[in-house]
């Protein structure tokens, strides 16, 4: 089905409790933006307040401030409005997407490498692998500077296999990856049978595992920390409007030179719209609906009991359990390092699309088999070709003409997107959204704007460090 706007009453996510103090104020304080009408105009309007939105606004405002401080840009600071249909960070980032919902910063590397090489060629495949890997250190650094309570850390990632055919194929793929990318593959180890079961306290049915180093983070606190800091550091430039869905968009006309966004809090005009709603992007850009579809999955929080509190490594490990992919697929597991040390277990893939036969926003009875402290579901995106969609959206896809040129030092007006992460938002979203921010500023050719990327992309333009396969185009 065509993706729609977020439903009115989604299931409650365990991650968002307690809510961020600053973001909760937006909901509770009648003098804040929660109850205010939207402004008449903003230079840029961002739709969506998840990890993509946080990365985009952070990159946009920081880059804009730096270039003004350096001189040579005679214009006022940009004004940015972010619209969110529910509470801040209440979509996939604070809800479900497996790699995000568990805070996994665990790129699919050996799993995908051979297929990427066969499809795109050696250099393009290795570029995508390194792009994914870069998110490990970049997000750990951002967590330290912007979201200290997000518990951003390094963990041991354990892929556990229960199906012999699936395990044998995984071992073969790992050998190919190690052969072609020995430096990146160095941390990997493969254990079979009893050795794997004993080291990781696995079920007697586990056939073996493949381990490596990865990252983990509390996703809601990570994004909430970034957004809260942006609101504090850029009070005159950045406004966040929660419970304010964009219900429709009107293109420019003879009498109006900008886009008009319609919301329950009034209309808002802009010359740049940035669509960062991932699985819901087709609701406002119908041309993307056939290529960015919705999939529902389920997450749970489970009390570990006294004996399990120490066996999970105290939150220093994250697991992926692979069954027969034709019938089951896989589930994720990690453990929180505070509170009741809850086991965060999820996946529960429910079909290839969100069907109309289920109650909107609800997990089905199959998912309820996870006996839990908390259970909730949500929607992630599935890209038609497996890659994110990043950049300026062609007018043939939006169905709307572009406004006339903006007055400020930016790219020519238009609509932009970063979406279609196919459940791997933690290793795609941050840098994809940063790339879009630099495109909107007209700085995609600048080779000196990657100082917060932990060395990745140093001295390179966006076109050099962003995988070319991710760019949206009419042909694609």
């Amino acid at each position: 089905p065509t993706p729609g706007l977020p439903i009115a009453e989604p299931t409650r996510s365990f991650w968002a409790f307690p809510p961020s103090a600053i973001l909760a104020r937006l909901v509770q304080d009648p003098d804040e933006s929660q109850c205010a009408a939207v402004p008449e105009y903003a230079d840029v309007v961002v739709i969506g307040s998840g990890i993509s939105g946080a990365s985009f606004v952070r990159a946009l405002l920081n880059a804009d401030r730096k270039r003004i401080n350096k001189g040579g840009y005679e214009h006022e600071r940009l004004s940015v409005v972010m619209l969110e249909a529910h509470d801040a960070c209440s979509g996939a980032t604070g809800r479900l997407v497996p790699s995000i919902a568990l805070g996994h910063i665990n790129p699919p590397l050996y799993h995908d490498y051979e297929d990427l090489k066969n499809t795109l060629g050696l250099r393009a495949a290795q570029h995508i692998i390194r792009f994914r890997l870069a998110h490990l250190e970049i997000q750990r650094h951002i967590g330290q500077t912007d979201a200290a309570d997000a518990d951003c850390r390094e963990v041991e990632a354990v892929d556990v296999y229960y199906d012999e055919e699936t395990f044998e194929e995984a071992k073969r793929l790992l050998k190919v990856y190690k052969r072609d990318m020995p430096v990146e593959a160095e941390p990997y180890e493969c254990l079979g049978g009893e050795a794997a079961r004993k080291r990781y306290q696995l079920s007697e049915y586990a056939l073996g595992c493949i381990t490596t180093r990865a990252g983990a983070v509390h996703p809601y606190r990570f994004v909430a920390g970034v957004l809260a800091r942006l609101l504090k550091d850029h009070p005159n430039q950045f406004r966040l409007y929660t419970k304010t869905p964009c219900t429709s968009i009107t293109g420019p006309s003879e009498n109006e030179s900008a886009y008009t966004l319609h919301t329950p809090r009034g209309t808002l005009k802009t010359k740049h719209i940035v669509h960062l709603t991932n699985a819901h992007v087709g609701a406002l850009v119908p041309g993307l609906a056939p290529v960015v579809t919705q999939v529902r999955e389920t997450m749970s929080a489970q009390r570990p009991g006294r004996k399990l509190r120490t066996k999970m490594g105290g939150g220093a490990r994250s697991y992926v359990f692979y069954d027969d992919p034709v019938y089951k697929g896989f589930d994720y597991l990690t453990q929180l390092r505070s509170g009741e040390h809850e086991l965060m277990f999820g996946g529960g893939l429910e079909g290839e699309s969100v069907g109309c036969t289920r109650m909107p926003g609800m997990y089905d009875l199959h998912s309820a088999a996870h006996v839990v402290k908390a259970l909730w579901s949500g929607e992630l995106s599935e890209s038609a070709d497996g890659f994110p969609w990043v950049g300026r959206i062609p007018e043939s896809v939006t169905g709307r003409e572009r406004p006339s040129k903006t007055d400020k030092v930016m790219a020519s007006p238009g609509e932009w997107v970063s979406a279609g992460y196919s459940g791997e938002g933690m290793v795609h979203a941050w840098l994809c959204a940063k790339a879009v921010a630099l495109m909107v500023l007209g700085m995609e050719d600048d080779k000196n704007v990657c100082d917060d990327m932990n060395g990745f992309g140093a001295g390179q333009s966006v076109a050099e460090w962003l995988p070319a396969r991710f760019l949206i185009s009419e042909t694609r």
Side-chain angles (χ1 to χ4, degrees), residues 345-364:
F345 181 61
L349 185 66
E350 298 178 13
E352 296 184 356
S353 63
V354 179
C356 300
T357 58
R358 298 186 180 94
M359 292 179 62
M362 292 295 293
Y363 44 83
D364 65 9

PDB file of all heavy atoms in Angstrom, residues 345-364:
ATOM      1  N   PHE A 345      15.062  -7.085  22.834  1.00  0.00           N
ATOM      2  CA  PHE A 345      14.974  -8.176  21.862  1.00  0.00           C
ATOM      3  C   PHE A 345      13.945  -7.816  20.807  1.00  0.00           C
ATOM      4  O   PHE A 345      12.841  -7.367  21.133  1.00  0.00           O
ATOM      5  CB  PHE A 345      14.556  -9.462  22.567  1.00  0.00           C
ATOM      6  CG  PHE A 345      14.456 -10.660  21.659  1.00  0.00           C
ATOM      7  CD1 PHE A 345      15.560 -11.123  20.970  1.00  0.00           C
ATOM      8  CD2 PHE A 345      13.257 -11.335  21.511  1.00  0.00           C
ATOM      9  CE1 PHE A 345      15.473 -12.231  20.137  1.00  0.00           C
ATOM     10  CE2 PHE A 345      13.148 -12.435  20.685  1.00  0.00           C
ATOM     11  CZ  PHE A 345      14.260 -12.884  20.000  1.00  0.00           C
ATOM     12  N   GLY A 346      14.307  -7.980  19.536  1.00  0.00           N
ATOM     13  CA  GLY A 346      13.332  -7.597  18.520  1.00  0.00           C
ATOM     14  C   GLY A 346      13.700  -8.043  17.130  1.00  0.00           C
ATOM     15  O   GLY A 346      14.687  -8.715  16.883  1.00  0.00           O
ATOM     16  N   GLY A 347      12.880  -7.618  16.214  1.00  0.00           N
ATOM     17  CA  GLY A 347      12.915  -8.042  14.823  1.00  0.00           C
ATOM     18  C   GLY A 347      11.486  -8.371  14.455  1.00  0.00           C
ATOM     19  O   GLY A 347      10.703  -7.503  14.090  1.00  0.00           O
ATOM     20  N   GLY A 348      11.106  -9.632  14.656  1.00  0.00           N
ATOM     21  CA  GLY A 348       9.709 -10.035  14.473  1.00  0.00           C
ATOM     22  C   GLY A 348       9.131  -9.549  13.165  1.00  0.00           C
ATOM     23  O   GLY A 348       8.046  -8.969  13.127  1.00  0.00           O
ATOM     24  N   LEU A 349       9.854  -9.755  12.076  1.00  0.00           N
ATOM     25  CA  LEU A 349       9.408  -9.252  10.774  1.00  0.00           C
ATOM     26  C   LEU A 349       8.012  -9.739  10.447  1.00  0.00           C
ATOM     27  O   LEU A 349       7.713 -10.918  10.534  1.00  0.00           O
ATOM     28  CB  LEU A 349      10.374  -9.708   9.677  1.00  0.00           C
ATOM     29  CG  LEU A 349      10.121  -9.160   8.279  1.00  0.00           C
ATOM     30  CD1 LEU A 349      10.341  -7.659   8.263  1.00  0.00           C
ATOM     31  CD2 LEU A 349      11.055  -9.840   7.290  1.00  0.00           C
ATOM     32  N   GLU A 350       7.149  -8.813  10.062  1.00  0.00           N
ATOM     33  CA  GLU A 350       5.755  -9.146   9.790  1.00  0.00           C
ATOM     34  C   GLU A 350       5.414  -8.884   8.332  1.00  0.00           C
ATOM     35  O   GLU A 350       4.707  -7.953   7.992  1.00  0.00           O
ATOM     36  CB  GLU A 350       4.833  -8.345  10.705  1.00  0.00           C
ATOM     37  CG  GLU A 350       5.075  -8.660  12.170  1.00  0.00           C
ATOM     38  CD  GLU A 350       4.205  -7.827  13.073  1.00  0.00           C
ATOM     39  OE1 GLU A 350       3.261  -7.193  12.587  1.00  0.00           O
ATOM     40  OE2 GLU A 350       4.477  -7.806  14.276  1.00  0.00           O
ATOM     41  N   GLY A 351       5.937  -9.686   7.451  1.00  0.00           N
ATOM     42  CA  GLY A 351       5.568  -9.553   6.051  1.00  0.00           C
ATOM     43  C   GLY A 351       6.361  -8.496   5.326  1.00  0.00           C
ATOM     44  O   GLY A 351       7.147  -7.767   5.895  1.00  0.00           O
ATOM     45  N   GLU A 352       6.144  -8.405   4.033  1.00  0.00           N
ATOM     46  CA  GLU A 352       6.902  -7.490   3.201  1.00  0.00           C
ATOM     47  C   GLU A 352       6.309  -6.097   3.145  1.00  0.00           C
ATOM     48  O   GLU A 352       6.914  -5.184   2.630  1.00  0.00           O
ATOM     49  CB  GLU A 352       7.012  -8.061   1.783  1.00  0.00           C
ATOM     50  CG  GLU A 352       7.806  -9.371   1.741  1.00  0.00           C
ATOM     51  CD  GLU A 352       7.986  -9.872   0.332  1.00  0.00           C
ATOM     52  OE1 GLU A 352       7.430  -9.238  -0.577  1.00  0.00           O
ATOM     53  OE2 GLU A 352       8.664 -10.885   0.147  1.00  0.00           O
ATOM     54  N   SER A 353       5.098  -5.937   3.633  1.00  0.00           N
ATOM     55  CA  SER A 353       4.506  -4.602   3.649  1.00  0.00           C
ATOM     56  C   SER A 353       3.491  -4.540   4.769  1.00  0.00           C
ATOM     57  O   SER A 353       3.108  -5.539   5.347  1.00  0.00           O
ATOM     58  CB  SER A 353       3.813  -4.285   2.311  1.00  0.00           C
ATOM     59  OG  SER A 353       2.752  -5.181   2.090  1.00  0.00           O
ATOM     60  N   VAL A 354       3.085  -3.337   5.096  1.00  0.00           N
ATOM     61  CA  VAL A 354       2.109  -3.146   6.146  1.00  0.00           C
ATOM     62  C   VAL A 354       0.728  -3.361   5.551  1.00  0.00           C
ATOM     63  O   VAL A 354       0.183  -2.491   4.890  1.00  0.00           O
ATOM     64  CB  VAL A 354       2.231  -1.733   6.756  1.00  0.00           C
ATOM     65  CG1 VAL A 354       1.198  -1.542   7.840  1.00  0.00           C
ATOM     66  CG2 VAL A 354       3.632  -1.537   7.311  1.00  0.00           C
ATOM     67  N   GLY A 355       0.168  -4.529   5.751  1.00  0.00           N
ATOM     68  CA  GLY A 355      -1.116  -4.858   5.153  1.00  0.00           C
ATOM     69  C   GLY A 355      -2.278  -4.177   5.849  1.00  0.00           C
ATOM     70  O   GLY A 355      -2.177  -3.757   6.988  1.00  0.00           O
ATOM     71  N   CYS A 356      -3.399  -4.102   5.173  1.00  0.00           N
ATOM     72  CA  CYS A 356      -4.578  -3.440   5.724  1.00  0.00           C
ATOM     73  C   CYS A 356      -5.388  -4.355   6.637  1.00  0.00           C
ATOM     74  O   CYS A 356      -6.364  -3.918   7.236  1.00  0.00           O
ATOM     75  CB  CYS A 356      -5.467  -2.936   4.589  1.00  0.00           C
ATOM     76  SG  CYS A 356      -4.648  -1.738   3.508  1.00  0.00           S
ATOM     77  N   THR A 357      -4.996  -5.630   6.730  1.00  0.00           N
ATOM     78  CA  THR A 357      -5.785  -6.559   7.540  1.00  0.00           C
ATOM     79  C   THR A 357      -5.446  -6.459   9.011  1.00  0.00           C
ATOM     80  O   THR A 357      -6.187  -6.938   9.854  1.00  0.00           O
ATOM     81  CB  THR A 357      -5.544  -8.003   7.073  1.00  0.00           C
ATOM     82  OG1 THR A 357      -4.137  -8.293   7.171  1.00  0.00           O
ATOM     83  CG2 THR A 357      -6.005  -8.188   5.640  1.00  0.00           C
ATOM     84  N   ARG A 358      -4.301  -5.830   9.352  1.00  0.00           N
ATOM     85  CA  ARG A 358      -3.921  -5.680  10.751  1.00  0.00           C
ATOM     86  C   ARG A 358      -4.367  -4.313  11.268  1.00  0.00           C
ATOM     87  O   ARG A 358      -4.540  -3.380  10.517  1.00  0.00           O
ATOM     88  CB  ARG A 358      -2.405  -5.806  10.923  1.00  0.00           C
ATOM     89  CG  ARG A 358      -1.867  -7.169  10.509  1.00  0.00           C
ATOM     90  CD  ARG A 358      -0.383  -7.232  10.860  1.00  0.00           C
ATOM     91  NE  ARG A 358       0.184  -8.513  10.490  1.00  0.00           N
ATOM     92  CZ  ARG A 358       0.793  -8.749   9.339  1.00  0.00           C
ATOM     93  NH1 ARG A 358       0.876  -7.788   8.444  1.00  0.00           N
ATOM     94  NH2 ARG A 358       1.305  -9.926   9.071  1.00  0.00           N
ATOM     95  N   MET A 359      -4.508  -4.237  12.586  1.00  0.00           N
ATOM     96  CA  MET A 359      -4.810  -2.935  13.174  1.00  0.00           C
ATOM     97  C   MET A 359      -3.617  -2.015  12.939  1.00  0.00           C
ATOM     98  O   MET A 359      -2.476  -2.411  13.136  1.00  0.00           O
ATOM     99  CB  MET A 359      -5.075  -3.075  14.669  1.00  0.00           C
ATOM    100  CG  MET A 359      -6.340  -3.821  15.009  1.00  0.00           C
ATOM    101  SD  MET A 359      -6.556  -3.956  16.790  1.00  0.00           S
ATOM    102  CE  MET A 359      -6.685  -2.225  17.229  1.00  0.00           C
ATOM    103  N   PRO A 360      -3.845  -0.776  12.523  1.00  0.00           N
ATOM    104  CA  PRO A 360      -2.742   0.128  12.245  1.00  0.00           C
ATOM    105  C   PRO A 360      -1.848   0.302  13.469  1.00  0.00           C
ATOM    106  O   PRO A 360      -2.328   0.546  14.569  1.00  0.00           O
ATOM    107  CB  PRO A 360      -3.443   1.446  11.875  1.00  0.00           C
ATOM    108  CG  PRO A 360      -4.800   1.033  11.425  1.00  0.00           C
ATOM    109  CD  PRO A 360      -5.152  -0.162  12.254  1.00  0.00           C
ATOM    110  N   GLY A 361      -0.538   0.158  13.251  1.00  0.00           N
ATOM    111  CA  GLY A 361       0.416   0.426  14.313  1.00  0.00           C
ATOM    112  C   GLY A 361       0.557  -0.669  15.333  1.00  0.00           C
ATOM    113  O   GLY A 361       1.322  -0.549  16.276  1.00  0.00           O
ATOM    114  N   MET A 362      -0.160  -1.801  15.189  1.00  0.00           N
ATOM    115  CA  MET A 362      -0.132  -2.842  16.202  1.00  0.00           C
ATOM    116  C   MET A 362       0.636  -4.055  15.719  1.00  0.00           C
ATOM    117  O   MET A 362       0.586  -4.422  14.552  1.00  0.00           O
ATOM    118  CB  MET A 362      -1.555  -3.273  16.568  1.00  0.00           C
ATOM    119  CG  MET A 362      -2.346  -2.217  17.303  1.00  0.00           C
ATOM    120  SD  MET A 362      -1.645  -1.845  18.916  1.00  0.00           S
ATOM    121  CE  MET A 362      -1.944  -3.404  19.754  1.00  0.00           C
ATOM    122  N   TYR A 363       1.363  -4.687  16.635  1.00  0.00           N
ATOM    123  CA  TYR A 363       1.985  -5.970  16.366  1.00  0.00           C
ATOM    124  C   TYR A 363       0.884  -7.023  16.311  1.00  0.00           C
ATOM    125  O   TYR A 363      -0.191  -6.866  16.872  1.00  0.00           O
ATOM    126  CB  TYR A 363       2.974  -6.323  17.483  1.00  0.00           C
ATOM    127  CG  TYR A 363       2.446  -6.052  18.867  1.00  0.00           C
ATOM    128  CD1 TYR A 363       1.627  -6.972  19.512  1.00  0.00           C
ATOM    129  CD2 TYR A 363       2.734  -4.862  19.525  1.00  0.00           C
ATOM    130  CE1 TYR A 363       1.117  -6.724  20.775  1.00  0.00           C
ATOM    131  CE2 TYR A 363       2.234  -4.598  20.785  1.00  0.00           C
ATOM    132  CZ  TYR A 363       1.429  -5.543  21.403  1.00  0.00           C
ATOM    133  OH  TYR A 363       0.921  -5.287  22.647  1.00  0.00           O
ATOM    134  N   ASP A 364       1.143  -8.161  15.630  1.00  0.00           N
ATOM    135  CA  ASP A 364       0.127  -9.197  15.572  1.00  0.00           C
ATOM    136  C   ASP A 364       0.400 -10.255  16.645  1.00  0.00           C
ATOM    137  O   ASP A 364       1.335 -10.139  17.434  1.00  0.00           O
ATOM    138  CB  ASP A 364       0.054  -9.821  14.173  1.00  0.00           C
ATOM    139  CG  ASP A 364       1.318 -10.567  13.786  1.00  0.00           C
ATOM    140  OD1 ASP A 364       2.200 -10.745  14.665  1.00  0.00           O
ATOM    141  OD2 ASP A 364       1.426 -10.965  12.619  1.00  0.00           O
TER     142      ASP A 364
END
